DNA sequence: GGATGTGAAGTCGTTCACAGCT
DNA sequence: AGCTGTGAACGACTTCACATCC
């Protein structure tokens, strides 16, 4: 909306875009403060700024992908990350030579695939704060342990395996088959 | 557990595997019926069967991937789908020649990439019930419309765009950046 | 004895409706 | 006049604790 030059937006407009309730939009924002103008709405520019502050998006997040198979490779060149200051600055695999020359496009240079053993060293060096696990499930917990060891506090886990981490660390799972199971259930019960 | 030959399982064991509460496991199951034996637990084999019935997984689900870029290609060879009777039986793109020879391994033969225009025809022919959208966001709603036209009732949407479909159809979104936003928020507020 | 099945209590998030500002 | 901010009602899910049954 900012790019389109729209100055104001109402909670109703935001709600319709997200397919939720206008009251929910206002209530959710109100949890963090007062960002709108009564009788008018929200200033697009200010709201964008405020939401970025709330979500912790006022900085660049530096990420590593571990496990450069099909999925891992595709994430290395995933365009949408770059639009929002998510940078993939390292890639790891057990078998580094198998994939080379992938490009993190904003940086304008390839992200070389390194051996897993170097996670800790490289994570410190490149100030990595999030790890994306795209290994086979059997390796997921091992990789998570290495990330914890390297003090990478955020993990996005695509491997269909339960991962446990110490307090202060966060894991978000993305299990494709679980989402399909959900779809299958909904389709079976219409 | 069945593969490992384990006969019985308690709600507490299931709970610890899923990192949730034992009561929740029992309560959730009880919503659909009585599957356990008091004082004993659940028979692994029977419970597996019952859960598959509940979720609608007692059949093979036939899927199509639309948009054969990096992500779409990687899903074509995603091993985990096959383990659970999810079959990718068709692939579509605007520019079919750009990717060929991908293999849906259970079928043991490549899934040829076809032109998007053939979705309706091929969906009927191959009895496709789920569509996976991995196109750029600008095309997502168009593709969804085609899927609806072809009566493909379930959609898994990876394109960062809001998709609307008629009643009787279901869309599940997987927005990578939204999940990262979630991680960013949690990491910023520990 | 021991683990399930389930009311009841508790917690969380959503929705409503209107007072309060601009 | 219009839209936000918010207390209060509502609804849904989670957790608890125990009666129930093998």
């Amino acid at each position: 909306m900012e790019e389109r030059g729209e100055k104001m937006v109402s909670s109703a407009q935001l709600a319709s875009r997200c397919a939720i309730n206008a009251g929910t939009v206002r209530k959710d924002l109100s949890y963090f403060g007062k960002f709108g103008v009564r009788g008018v709405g929200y200033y697009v520019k200010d709201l964008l700024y405020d939401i970025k502050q709330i979500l912790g998006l006022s900085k660049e997040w530096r990420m590593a992908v571990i496990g450069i198979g099909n999925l891992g490779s595709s994430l290395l060149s995933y365009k949408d990350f770059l639009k929002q200051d998510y940078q993939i600055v390292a890639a790891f695999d057990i078998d580094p030579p198998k994939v080379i020359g992938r490009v993190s496009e904003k940086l304008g240079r390839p992200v070389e695939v390194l051996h897993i053993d170097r996670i800790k060293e490289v994570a410190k060096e490149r100030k990595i704060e999030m790890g994306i696990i795209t290994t086979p499930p059997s390796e997921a917990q091992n990789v998570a342990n290495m990330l914890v060891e390297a003090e990478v506090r955020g993990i996005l886990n695509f491997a269909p395996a339960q991962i446990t981490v110490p307090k202060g660390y966060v894991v978000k799972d993305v299990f494709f088959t679980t989402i399909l199971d959900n779809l299958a259930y909904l389709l079976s019960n219409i």
Side-chain angles (χ1 to χ4, degrees), chain A:
Chain A
M1 296 180 79
E2 192 188 34
E3 283 167 6
R4 284 197 231 154
E6 298 175 38
K7 296 294 176 208
M8 306 299 302
V9 62
S10 69
S11 59
Q13 289 173 291
L14 291 169
S16 107
R17 289 227 184 191
C18 305
I20 57 169
N21 183 289
T24 304
V25 172
R26 297 199 299 275
K27 192 74 169 174
D28 286 357
L29 287 171
S30 79
Y31 182 77
F32 297 97
K34 303 181 184 191
F35 304 105
V37 184
R38 291 178 192 233
V40 180
Y42 302 88
Y43 284 95
V44 170
K45 199 176 171 178
D46 292 352
L47 186 59
L48 187 58
Y49 174 82
D50 290 329
I51 290 177
K52 282 193 174 180
Q53 290 294 323
I54 293 168
L55 293 179
L57 299 181
S58 50
K59 64 190 288 284
E60 183 181 288
W61 287 92
R62 299 169 65 80
M63 313 189 295
V65 176
I66 304 94
I68 311 302
N70 289 306
L71 182 57
S73 307
S74 71
L75 291 178
L76 288 185
S77 44
Y78 189 65
K79 309 280 189 306
D80 227 52
F81 288 157
L82 302 173
K83 285 187 203 152
Q84 311 204 19
D85 286 337
Y86 292 110
Q87 297 272 352
I88 295 174
V89 298
F92 301 94
D93 201 290
I94 288 191
D95 185 16
K98 78 177 174 190
V99 183
I100 345 173
R102 288 284 178 174
V103 179
S104 171
E105 300 183 15
K106 197 168 185 178
L107 290 174
R109 56 178 176 77
V111 173
E112 193 185 356
V113 180
L114 306 173
H115 193 279
I116 282 187
D117 289 347
R118 298 184 57 195
I119 286 184
K120 188 172 178 181
E121 164 207 345
V122 176
K124 298 274 180 197
E125 193 178 295
R126 302 191 188 171
K127 300 189 198 313
I128 291 169
E129 296 158 299
M130 293 179 176
I132 302 179
I133 300 181
T134 47
T135 62
S138 57
E139 300 308 318
Q141 182 66 60
N142 288 338
V143 169
N145 293 345
M146 294 185 213
L147 290 170
V148 169
E149 175 75 16
E151 291 178 66
V152 175
R153 296 192 344 214
I155 294 177
L156 180 60
N157 174 41
F158 286 91
Q162 193 193 146
I163 282 180
T164 55
V165 292
K167 220 160 168 289
Y169 290 77
V170 188
V171 179
K172 283 276 157 186
D173 296 314
V174 182
F175 296 161
F176 292 156
T177 46
T178 302
I179 304 169
L180 287 180
D181 292 347
N182 202 194
L183 251 189
Y185 171 72
L186 293 170
L187 291 179
S188 303
N189 293 282
I190 289 187

